[in-house]
Structures are given as C-alpha cells and as structure tokens.
Amino acid sequence: MNIIHTFLYPKSVAVIGASKNPLKGGNRIVNNLVNNKFNGKVYPVNPNASGEIYGLEFKTSVLDIDDDVDLAIFYVPNRMIPNLLKECITKGIKGAIIEASGFEEVGELGLQLRDEILEITDNFNKIKIVGPNCMGLTRIDHNSNSENKGGFFSSFGVFSYYNTGNIAVISQSGMLNGGYLMHIFAKYPKIGFRYSISIGNKMDLGENEFLEYLIDDPKINVIAIYLESFKDPRKFLELCKKVKIRHDKTIILVKGGVSKLGQKAAHSHTGTLAENSRLINAVIKQAGIIQANSFHELFQYAQTFSMIYATKKSFPIKGNAAMVAGSGGAGTITADLTNKHGLDFPMLSKETYDILLSVFPEWMPPNRFSLVDIWPAMEKAMMNDVNPQVVTAKVYKALVADSDIEGVFNMLFCSPLYRQFNNLENIIDELRYNPKPFFFWLIGDKKEVEKTSRFLSEHDIPDFPSLEDMVKNFEILVQEARNKDNTKGK
C-alpha cells in the first residue's frame, strides 16, 4: 500500500505523549480523533499516566498494544524521540508523525538528533516520518455538522467546525493545519477542504510525495502549497507539469524565504537553507502554477478555483469580461483595474447591445462596450412598475450569451432598502449553472453583505471584499486557462 495513503487513512493510531491535561497538545490530539469520530483505533501512550482519556485506556508503551498499529503521533520533547522510535520499529509501526521542534532549526544539538534518527531508522527504510516540527495531518470526510462527521485529525488544535471539499493544503508551516485553518473555516464558512498536510522540516517525506498522491486523488481539484524550500526542485517541476496537461487540477503556491530577511526567518523556523532566488523563479515559471504572494491570496485563489471546479465553469482564456455596476465611479475604477491586470471590456455584439437598449431609457443608453451602469435601467423599470430583477436577469443573459464575453463582474449594494434590486434568489440558477463565471463585489450594510455572501457561497459563486480582489481572481483564471492551453498537442 502507498505509504502516503497509510498516513492519511490509518486504521490505527498511537498517540505518544497523550495527556489528561487539556492544556497539552497530547490531550487535544486525542480529543480531535475521538470527538471528530476517527473511524479507527486510538491508543493513548504515556508511561506516566494511568486510567483513561476520552474513554480510552492509557498504554505505557506502544509495545503494550496487542493489535497492529499503522501510525504513531509523537507529541513529546525532542530528546525522547530516538528511543521511542526504536520501540515503534520493534512494534512494526509503518509511519510516525513527529510534531516536536528542536531539530535542524536549532543548530548542532538538533542536527545530532537528526543524525541519530537517520541511523535508527536505517535512513527511513524501517519507518517513514512526517516532520519533525509540524502540526500533523488532517483528512476531512464530512462536514462538522453532519451526523456522519469523521476523518483523521492529528493537529493539536481542536477542530470543531469544518467542511469537506475539493481543496488540499501542503504546508511547511504548522499554522496552516492549526489556528490559521480554523480562521479560514470561520472566514470562508462554505469553503471545503479534504486534506491539510503539515510537513515541517521534511526530514523524510516532503511536498513531492504528498503532491504525487494528491494529483492522483479524484476528489482533489485545488492544491494549495506553502513552501520555504524545495526538497527536490526537479521532481517538483515534473509533478507540476503533470498537472498542466490535466484540466481538473490547479496548483497554487506561496513561496516563503524569497528575500534575505525571509531566508533568515525560514532558517530559524524549519532549518531551511537559502535558495537562489533566480532558481526559485525559474522553477515556478516552468511549473506553470499559480503563484500567490500571501496566505490571504493563497486561500482566496483556492476558494475561487474550488467554486469554479464545483460548478464546472469554463475558464476564460481571452481575458474578456463584462461589468454590471450601479455606480459610474465603480465601473471606471474596475475598468482601470481590468486594464492593469491585462484584461478587457470588449465591444458588445449588435444582438447584445440591442437587448440592453430595450431595457435602458432613451435619455441614458448603455455603453457600446461591456461596462454596464445598470442604474438607469433600474429607474426605467421602477417608473414602469417592472420588477427590477427581471431587468437584471435580462442583462445577465444578454451578456453571457455574447461570445466575446467570458465572465461577468458585479457590484452589488446590499441594504434592506434595496432588496428589490439585490435579491438574487430568482436568478441564482442562471448565475450558478451558466458556464461562464460570475464574480461579485459586495458593499453596503454589514449584516446584509454577510447574508448575501453566505447565499452566494452556498451556490459556489465567489464574492470579494474589494474590486481589485475580484479582478485579480479573474486574472488567475485566465492565467490558468492559458497554462493549460499551452500544453495542448504536447
């Protein structure tokens, strides 16, 4: 069996360093596994503890466990790990997740521990290792509010709210399988993750082994990666090129340590050595992946791609968009941003223009290009006792029927006073099931914005906190479409 599958789908787990103290990570790992209904056996191990934890009996050693054990999770001080690893090897445990820090990143003592582990494991031939200095692995099978919730949760941050989905995360920072992932679940309540993989110092297994597994997983469309170093740049490049020729996967990367100060920080964090910035840029460019500049961009891009794949939208390749706005100023700024990001508002076809002309007043006809200030059409509708949503639906249908338009930007003012204009319930099917993407910039009353955002996300339609975020996320779809298109025939 693939060892990565064993790490992500273990049938039995020993938590070494389990504790009754709820403030300790060894307690929270067991809590995660039990209360999130891990479908396997859990063995809490601590020679100094007795009795039970979460209904499970403590073992003094893995050697006291009668049954086979797939995986050991270490939450103990670094100096204890070599001897405990020997016991795991004797027991026949296949893999170990070492969450302790204090290895390459701390200097000579840590390097000595690393060398000792290399010898004990026969260069990892006797047991495979994730970490050290990591925050474990997460696999989410069902949403947290489901009766069938479950998965594998080895982070010492306790997960109580989460959604399953088509996104996987590989990270050298434990934060992305801990506090920040919890923040993302709260910030994007409908975004769904299948895996979050913290690889830490990657003494043994690293990004390439997990990336190779995820590329072959049909449940995954989006792979979000944070790296401070490449374990094997050539192998990483080969794997990314496999994704370029597929139209069901996207890789997004944030690379840390690209500046001298960042390299200094990365070395103190994971023991990463400085990498040549030209090499880094060359690898990323050749890989044909989406590069994000921050965690904010990483997860915003991941959400956008996740929703596009979920709704089976067409990826824009020409970079032509339309904008529906209720403000001339917002339309002008969006036009500037569209130009800045290499996109365009194309001229409307005669058929499209004629449809728009029919809903606009004579005193304010629409633009000839695909920037639609819809407010005059709303005023005409109100004067003629026409439901404004009928006009909005007609405009949307005309724009997406135009062969030169690949997607629609929307400015939506959310307020209890303007619900007749911004209520999307009657046209949500048009937005979700049309093959062209719709993006929304929501402004207005805070509660109404949150309500509309929840409604859109329930139907896998992205919304953004700023005009620039909206335009940038359309640009990355174009970039990905062109990456894939360049591989045709190769």
Side-chain angles (χ1 to χ4, degrees):
M1 180 181 289
N2 187 316
I3 189 62
I4 300 300
H5 190 80
T6 300
F7 271 97
L8 294 173
Y9 291 83
K11 295 179 181 177
S12 51
V13 176
V15 182
I16 301 174
S19 171
K20 290 183 179 180
N21 185 343
L23 298 178
K24 291 191 174 182
N27 178 284
R28 297 196 293 272
I29 292 170
V30 180
N31 181 349
N32 252 335
L33 292 166
V34 173
N35 291 321
N36 286 310
K37 297 185 179 180
F38 166 63
N39 187 23
K41 295 181 178 179
V42 180
Y43 302 98
V45 177
N46 190 328
N48 301 314
S50 59
E52 294 185 347
I53 174 175
Y54 300 107
L56 302 172
E57 182 183 354
F58 275 103
K59 303 292 184 180
T60 57
S61 163
V62 294
L63 298 175
D64 294 331
I65 301 170
D66 293 331
D67 299 324
D68 292 338
V69 177
D70 282 342
L71 206 61
I73 305 171
F74 284 76
Y75 197 83
V76 296
N78 59 353
R79 66 183 183 276
M80 300 175 63
I81 289 172
N83 285 333
L84 291 169
L85 269 176
K86 290 178 183 177
E87 293 184 357
C88 288
I89 291 169
T90 300
K91 176 64 181 171
I93 295 174
K94 301 178 184 72
I97 301 173
I98 300 177
E99 304 200 14
S101 56
F103 290 84
E104 289 99 324
E105 74 277 13
V106 299
E108 187 175 345
L109 179 60
L111 291 170
Q112 289 175 0
L113 280 171
R114 180 201 63 185
D115 292 343
E116 191 174 352
I117 289 172
L118 281 168
E119 183 177 351
I120 289 168
T121 63
D122 186 22
N123 197 24
F124 308 112
N125 286 312
K126 294 180 178 178
I127 189 171
K128 303 300 289 181
I129 288 175
V130 170
N133 191 16
C134 72
M135 206 178 283
L137 311 172
T138 296
R139 185 194 86 238
I140 299 173
D141 294 341
H142 303 281
N143 297 347
S144 57
N145 59 2
S146 167
E147 291 183 3
N148 299 317
K149 72 175 182 178
F152 175 57
F153 300 79
S154 63
S155 169
F156 54 85
V158 177
F159 287 86
S160 56
Y161 176 81
Y162 47 82
N163 283 323
T164 189
N166 60 357
I167 301 173
V169 179
I170 301 173
S171 172
Q172 263 191 283
S173 171
M175 177 181 70
L176 295 191
N177 192 36
Y180 198 82
L181 191 60
M182 296 175 192
H183 165 74
I184 293 299
F185 283 130
K187 185 175 181 180
Y188 303 109
K190 293 298 178 180
I191 195 170
F193 291 83
R194 180 65 177 175
Y195 307 106
S196 184
I197 297 158
S198 173
I199 53 179
N201 292 16
K202 47 189 180 180
M203 185 184 290
D204 178 20
L205 300 173
E207 68 273 11
N208 291 336
E209 290 84 359
F210 283 100
L211 179 57
E212 188 166 23
Y213 180 87
L214 296 174
I215 288 171
D216 291 332
D217 189 329
K219 300 182 187 71
I220 299 302
N221 297 122
V222 185
I223 304 170
I225 304 175
Y226 170 70
L227 292 179
E228 293 175 0
S229 65
F230 293 104
K231 186 177 180 183
D232 180 346
R234 190 182 300 276
K235 178 66 174 176
F236 182 80
L237 184 58
E238 289 174 359
L239 291 170
C240 290
K241 285 182 175 179
K242 285 178 65 176
V243 173
K244 280 182 71 174
I245 63 173
R246 298 180 57 155
H247 288 72
D248 63 342
K249 306 272 182 183
T250 292
I251 298 174
I252 311 164
L253 172 70
V254 170
K255 178 65 175 66
V258 295
S259 67
K260 288 185 178 179
L261 189 58
Q263 289 168 355
K264 184 178 179 181
H267 183 67
S268 66
H269 176 212
T270 56
T272 297
L273 298 177
E275 292 180 313
N276 184 296
S277 59
R278 289 184 179 179
L279 171 64
I280 294 169
N281 292 333
V283 169
I284 293 171
K285 185 176 181 180
Q286 289 184 55
I289 58 182
I290 300 297
Q291 186 172 12
N293 296 307
S294 64
F295 291 140
H296 168 75
E297 284 189 355
L298 179 71
F299 285 105
Q300 195 177 76
Y301 292 173
Q303 176 187 240
T304 296
F305 278 107
S306 172
M307 290 179 168
I308 292 298
Y309 280 115
T311 51
K312 296 180 170 56
K313 298 284 189 183
S314 300
F315 279 72
I317 193 166
K318 293 182 288 188
N320 287 344
M323 172 71 174
V324 178
S327 159
T332 301
I333 292 297
T334 307
D336 286 337
L337 291 168
T338 297
N339 183 72
K340 173 185 173 182
H341 289 277
L343 310 174
D344 194 18
F345 288 155
M347 297 299 292
L348 299 171
S349 69
K350 183 181 184 303
E351 292 79 8
T352 304
Y353 184 73
D354 286 346
I355 293 171
L356 297 188
L357 201 59
S358 72
V359 298
F360 272 73
E362 293 180 3
W363 48 266
M364 184 61 81
N367 288 320
R368 292 275 180 180
F369 65 104
S370 59
L371 171 58
V372 182
D373 181 351
I374 202 170
W375 184 248
M378 295 290 99
E379 288 189 323
K380 179 182 176 181
M382 288 184 290
M383 287 189 296
N384 294 322
D385 293 324
V386 174
N387 186 338
Q389 293 175 47
V390 173
V391 174
T392 303
K394 196 168 186 178
V395 170
Y396 281 156
K397 288 179 180 179
L399 292 174
V400 295
D402 194 312
S403 60
D404 274 345
I405 294 172
E406 300 176 298
V408 181
F409 300 149
N410 301 269
M411 169 198 171
L412 202 63
F413 184 71
C414 303
S415 165
L417 296 175
Y418 291 93
R419 281 180 183 157
Q420 61 176 322
F421 304 116
N422 60 30
N423 188 335
L424 300 171
E425 290 184 6
N426 294 333
I427 57 173
I428 193 64
D429 286 347
E430 177 69 29
L431 302 178
R432 191 185 198 283
Y433 296 110
N434 191 286
K436 297 180 181 181
F438 286 82
F439 283 6
F440 282 83
W441 174 49
L442 306 179
I443 60 170
D445 179 82
K446 184 174 184 290
K447 288 184 178 178
E448 288 290 316
V449 166
E450 291 173 349
K451 177 182 176 182
T452 305
S453 179
R454 283 195 301 272
F455 178 74
L456 288 170
S457 65
E458 285 168 1
H459 294 86
D460 290 307
I461 299 169
D463 69 88
F464 303 93
S466 73
L467 285 170
E468 180 140 28
D469 281 337
M470 180 172 67
V471 175
K472 279 166 56 181
N473 276 261
F474 194 82
E475 180 198 2
I476 61 160
L477 295 184
V478 175
Q479 181 183 333
E480 180 71 344
R482 290 172 179 171
N483 283 342
K484 304 290 191 189
D485 188 66
N486 286 339
T487 65
K488 287 182 180 179
K490 291 186 179 180

